[in-house]
Amino acid sequence: MGTPVRVVLVDDHEMILAGLQAMLAGFAGRVRVVGQAATSEDATRLVTTLRPDVVLLDVRLGPESGLDLCRALTGRAPSSRVVFLSVYDDEQYVFEALRAGAGGYLLKRVDGPELVRRLEEVARGETVVDPTLAGRMAVTAARLTRGEFWPGANRGLTQRESEVLSLLVGGLSNKAIAARLVLSEETVKSHLRALYRKLEVADRSAAIAVALREGLFR
């Protein structure tokens, strides 16, 4: 029997952490939980100290983004591979996770034997995706290649984020965008933060420059 895969669990729900601990305890010869965290700060400290084989991470950590944490961890501890364990069965999340450097994306309905097998695969350097999402991802990828969906979809933008970006390019203020889309200004700001992250820019002028340079809106 080989060395157990060393895993750090990251989730902001105590019951989820306890459930994962209990589930994996039955596979002690194959997987060993070496730590757990509920916040990005604690997770970063644990992972950089322990250097586990795999970090099992939720997409959302309260107000924090698991995607942002994934990017940070792949930079600070590149030998530790990240696997997302999520309730979100949307292929768009999978594309974002893989862009962020994750080695896998599984749904929280996975059972113990399947989870352990997937963790072992990721520890060996493979990339894993929940089988219920893999087929849909292939279809989505093909449609993105053909230029279907909305402008910016190939950069991971949701349809609403694309709408916000188009109005940004049109010169509208946050207040005007909110009025046009019947949203609160805080919601508009949230969409802007998300699209800045996906376009890898820091502000609205840089986002507009990317949109124009890539011909997202004409």
Side-chain angles (χ1 to χ4, degrees), residues 34-92:
V34 296
Q36 64 180 52
T39 67
S40 292
E41 182 179 357
D42 288 345
T44 301
R45 183 176 64 253
L46 266 181
V47 173
T48 53
T49 300
L50 299 175
R51 303 285 172 160
D53 300 307
V54 180
V55 181
L56 198 56
L57 172 62
D58 195 2
V59 171
R60 295 188 183 277
L61 301 172
E64 302 174 301
S65 167
L67 294 166
D68 288 340
L69 176 58
C70 177
R71 294 184 186 92
L73 293 179
T74 53
R76 290 170 177 255
S79 63
S80 298
R81 303 199 71 207
V82 174
V83 174
F84 282 98
L85 187 63
S86 175
V87 297
Y88 298 105
D89 62 348
D90 186 331
E91 59 268 29
Q92 195 64 50

Side-chain angles (χ1 to χ4, degrees), residues 197-215:
R197 184 184 71 247
K198 294 173 183 178
L199 296 179
E200 299 179 344
V201 298
D203 54 38
R204 61 198 301 128
S205 60
I208 292 170
V210 169
L212 294 175
R213 183 174 66 247
E214 297 190 3

Side-chain angles (χ1 to χ4, degrees), residues 72-123:
L73 293 179
T74 53
R76 290 170 177 255
S79 63
S80 298
R81 303 199 71 207
V82 174
V83 174
F84 282 98
L85 187 63
S86 175
V87 297
Y88 298 105
D89 62 348
D90 186 331
E91 59 268 29
Q92 195 64 50
Y93 278 101
V94 186
F95 285 122
E96 270 205 72
L98 297 180
R99 285 193 191 97
Y105 190 101
L106 302 172
L107 298 178
K108 285 187 174 178
R109 57 175 173 256
V110 66
D111 61 21
E114 174 76 5
L115 178 57
V116 170
R117 184 165 62 253
R118 295 302 190 175
L119 292 175
E120 291 173 331
E121 290 172 350
V122 170

Side-chain angles (χ1 to χ4, degrees), residues 1 8 11 23-24 33 86 101 105 108 197 201:
M1 185 177 294
V8 164
D11 198 292
M23 177 187 289
L24 295 175
V33 176
S86 175
Y105 190 101
K108 285 187 174 178
R197 184 184 71 247
V201 298

